[in-house]
Amino acid sequence: MEDNHDMTAAESTSYPEAAPSFSPLYQQIKLLLVKRLQAGEWQPGGAIPSEMELAARFKVSQGTVRKAIDEMAADNLVVRRQGKGTFVATHAEQATQYRFLRLTPDDGTPPALQRRLLECRSMRPPPDVRQLLGLPAGETAVQVRRLLLADDLPVVLDDLWLPGTPFRGLTAERLQAWRGPLYRMFEAEFSVRMIRATEKIRAVAAPAEEATLLGVVAGAPLLSVERLSFTYGDRPMELRRGLYHTATHHYRNELG
Amino acid sequence: MEDNHDMTAAESTSYPEAAPSFSPLYQQIKLLLVKRLQAGEWQPGGAIPSEMELAARFKVSQGTVRKAIDEMAADNLVVRRQGKGTFVATHAEQATQYRFLRLTPDDGTPPALQRRLLECRSMRPPPDVRQLLGLPAGETAVQVRRLLLADDLPVVLDDLWLPGTPFRGLTAERLQAWRGPLYRMFEAEFSVRMIRATEKIRAVAAPAEEATLLGVVAGAPLLSVERLSFTYGDRPMELRRGLYHTATHHYRNELG
DNA sequence: TAGTGGTCTAGACCACATC
DNA sequence: ATGTGGTCTAGACCACTAA
């Protein structure tokens, strides 16, 4: 490689804002690879080209490609498997069932939850939902309401809001028929991959209707979890409002 | 470096359990460095030897030391500063005020909290506390109760439990006099550095006494946050039970 | 046996901080 | 000018997987 570390000559003409014009080679390569991921060039669960091949293609050393992929692996965009290759991350693995659900039974047993679909309809979202999802005015959304149960006792009441355009065709029937993680369905059937999420958590008093569904008395304390999930490019793709009954379960978190 | 990647010949004699006898060089070096950190060889906030020096000392290449330190930086054990050196992580930086506190005002403003010390005493801990902290029977503990307020309104009621031995000499007076993060005090005055923590979160109804302290009605929903903080070697060093009033604040979490 | 990712080396040069 | 961490290279060998 020559001295010039700029792989984006076409873009390096003018920077009106104070943007870092140059970045390390491996960062540029990471960006290129993420863009191809985003474009769907490789299937979820499928292999991306080997480090040697990418190094040849980009005309850099293997170590540089390695560092780019290392970061993508740290971002959970990709999974490395020694001897086999590097694969596009997916929500399919059973290790990642409920990848974003932090609710755990108080005894150490692994969470085992059943689902019960309550509702699924397409409608105009309320303004706060519209704003959080960044939807244009007039755009519709799909609302899903469901219950998660442990040992036939309700534990979670989830309200999902999904943008209508990418999720056109999502019906109660298809939801009922689907086995496996929801996020796996989203990526397999609607080409929407959730990459990361943020949650806002509060304690609330159970409203009457929700209390009934969860089998608690009205006014009982519940955990309110508002999750906003993002796909590539930090575009919000799901708003999920959950009410957790934390008598036999708790929300666990690790602080590093 | 010769072919032998074992730097721990003295320890590699017998492995009764199925332990990995060999690990990459950089892992072994990381372990050695962490042990020295743990032994207090370098002050918090102080510099550790340069990569070149460590490479020479361990008789490995700079790249190998680099990878070891990279992981330590990812673990928040150490902070790298280009041009200056690598420094032992500390709770002193204002960027890490309330490093483990995830409570944020609903408007985006940065959290600004006042403290009010309610209690500080040495006593025999109840069995559940004793068990969580891994204390020997009969060992005492220091209990601290305090209030955090935003704009003079109570937001958090914290109950802390600290093992008596390392925290001997912790009194209400010293707590009152201390300015800055508690964890900074622990590392500066008691040589206890908190590295990571786990939290269990539930929604609970406010008990009468705690409700009064937080200025809410008894039975109001509160966030119950039980945090167990660990020092080097995964030894638990603090149990903190907090009740959060989530009317104007919320617990925020990032899911990767 | 061949191909993959994982580790390690030695040396070059860059960016930054300090004197 | 010197020393630090940060990037990049080229090549070697190891560990694992699969045909």
Side-chain angles (χ1 to χ4, degrees):
Chain A
M1 195 64 188
E2 310 83 65
D3 286 340
N4 178 12
H5 281 178
D6 183 14
M7 299 184 62
T8 59
E11 307 169 29
S12 66
T13 49
S14 77
Y15 284 90
E17 297 299 324
S21 321
F22 296 91
S23 56
L25 255 184
Y26 74 89
Q27 288 283 8
Q28 300 178 39
I29 288 169
K30 181 186 175 187
L31 207 76
L32 290 175
L33 291 176
V34 170
K35 274 184 185 158
R36 300 201 184 185
L37 267 185
Q38 184 170 355
E41 187 154 331
W42 305 295
Q43 295 307 311
I48 73 173
S50 74
E51 293 179 353
M52 290 300 278
E53 189 176 332
L54 290 171
R57 187 179 307 179
F58 291 132
K59 301 255 244 296
V60 299
S61 80
Q62 188 195 2
T64 301
V65 170
R66 166 166 288 272
K67 187 147 186 182
I69 296 181
D70 275 346
E71 286 205 354
M72 294 170 67
D75 294 344
N76 290 314
L77 294 178
V78 112
V79 176
R80 320 192 73 142
R81 280 196 253 272
Q82 180 171 141
K84 302 180 75 173
T86 302
F87 302 82
V88 180
T90 174
H91 293 278
E93 294 110 43
Q94 45 195 6
T96 56
Q97 287 266 122
Y98 299 108
R99 167 152 163 231
F100 289 155
L101 183 61
R102 301 292 253 269
L103 202 69
T104 316
D106 289 339
D107 52 56
T109 62
L113 298 172
Q114 302 95 48
R115 280 185 295 229
R116 184 174 302 162
L117 182 61
L118 301 179
E119 204 169 356
C120 175
R121 54 178 178 173
S122 193
M123 63 181 292
R124 292 282 172 82
D128 57 335
V129 172
R130 198 173 70 74
Q131 196 262 325
L132 282 168
L133 288 179
L135 295 179
E139 172 81 318
T140 68
V142 181
Q143 194 214 347
V144 178
R145 171 169 271 208
R146 66 163 187 180
L147 213 48
L148 297 180
L149 307 95
D151 301 323
D152 296 316
L153 292 175
V155 176
V156 173
L157 175 61
D158 264 337
D159 268 304
L160 284 66
W161 292 92
L162 303 161
T165 308
F167 286 97
R168 191 163 310 286
L170 176 60
T171 62
E173 292 70 40
R174 292 179 74 179
L175 276 172
Q176 285 288 12
W178 183 264
R179 300 281 161 257
L182 257 199
Y183 286 167
R184 174 61 190 148
M185 179 191 197
F186 292 170
E187 89 184 5
E189 313 262 308
F190 300 96
S191 301
V192 174
R193 253 173 293 175
M194 305 300 184
I195 302 302
R196 66 175 196 92
T198 64
E199 288 188 332
K200 291 185 179 181
I201 304 172
R202 332 176 101 86
V204 299
E209 183 186 349
E210 283 77 3
T212 308
L213 289 167
L214 281 168
V216 299
V217 299
L222 294 176
L223 212 59
S224 155
V225 179
E226 181 180 277
R227 180 198 299 171
L228 196 55
S229 297
F230 299 84
T231 185
Y232 296 107
D234 270 347
R235 282 176 300 145
M237 268 297 171
E238 183 201 50
L239 175 65
R240 187 182 290 211
R241 291 189 170 132
L243 289 175
Y244 298 3
H245 184 210
T246 54
T248 59
H249 292 64
H250 62 268
Y251 184 105
R252 109 201 103 68
N253 203 12
E254 309 276 334
L255 308 180
Chain B
M1 194 66 188
E2 309 84 63
D3 286 338
N4 179 12
H5 281 179
D6 182 15
M7 299 186 61
T8 59
E11 309 168 27
S12 67
T13 48
S14 77
Y15 284 90
E17 297 299 325
S21 322
F22 295 92
S23 55
L25 254 185
Y26 74 89
Q27 290 282 9
Q28 300 177 39
I29 287 170
K30 180 186 175 186
L31 208 75
L32 291 175
L33 291 176
V34 170
K35 274 184 184 157
R36 299 201 184 186
L37 267 186
Q38 183 170 355
E41 186 152 332
W42 304 296
Q43 294 309 310
I48 71 172
S50 74
E51 294 179 354
M52 290 300 279
E53 189 175 333
L54 289 170
R57 189 179 306 179
F58 291 132
K59 300 255 244 290
V60 300
S61 80
Q62 187 195 2
T64 301
V65 170
R66 166 165 287 271
K67 187 149 187 181
I69 296 181
D70 275 346
E71 287 204 355
M72 293 169 68
D75 294 344
N76 290 314
L77 294 178
V78 112
V79 176
R80 320 192 73 141
R81 280 197 254 272
Q82 179 171 139
K84 303 180 73 171
T86 302
F87 301 82
V88 180
T90 173
H91 293 278
E93 294 110 42
Q94 46 194 8
T96 55
Q97 287 265 123
Y98 299 110
R99 165 150 166 234
F100 289 155
L101 182 60
R102 300 290 254 262
L103 202 69
T104 315
D106 289 339
D107 53 56
T109 64
L113 299 173
Q114 302 94 48
R115 282 184 294 228
R116 184 174 302 162
L117 182 61
L118 301 179
E119 204 170 356
C120 175
R121 53 179 178 174
S122 193
M123 62 181 293
R124 291 281 172 81
D128 57 333
V129 172
R130 200 173 67 74
Q131 196 261 324
L132 283 168
L133 287 179
L135 295 179
E139 172 79 318
T140 67
V142 180
Q143 194 214 346
V144 177
R145 171 169 271 209
R146 66 162 186 179
L147 213 47
L148 297 180
L149 308 95
D151 300 323
D152 295 318
L153 291 175
V155 176
V156 173
L157 175 62
D158 264 338
D159 268 303
L160 284 66
W161 292 92
L162 302 161
T165 307
F167 285 96
R168 189 163 314 285
L170 176 60
T171 61
E173 291 69 40
R174 292 179 73 178
L175 276 172
Q176 286 288 12
W178 182 262
R179 299 282 162 256
L182 256 198
Y183 285 168
R184 173 62 190 150
M185 179 191 196
F186 293 171
E187 89 184 6
E189 312 265 308
F190 301 96
S191 301
V192 174
R193 252 174 295 178
M194 305 300 184
I195 302 300
R196 64 174 198 93
T198 64
E199 289 189 331
K200 292 185 178 182
I201 303 172
R202 332 176 101 85
V204 300
E209 183 187 348
E210 283 78 3
T212 309
L213 289 168
L214 282 169
V216 299
V217 300
L222 294 176
L223 212 60
S224 155
V225 180
E226 182 180 277
R227 179 197 302 169
L228 196 55
S229 298
F230 299 84
T231 186
Y232 296 106
D234 270 346
R235 282 177 300 145
M237 269 297 171
E238 181 201 51
L239 174 64
R240 186 181 291 209
R241 289 187 171 135
L243 289 175
Y244 297 3
H245 184 210
T246 54
T248 59
H249 292 63
H250 63 268
Y251 185 106
R252 106 201 106 67
N253 204 11
E254 309 275 333
L255 309 180

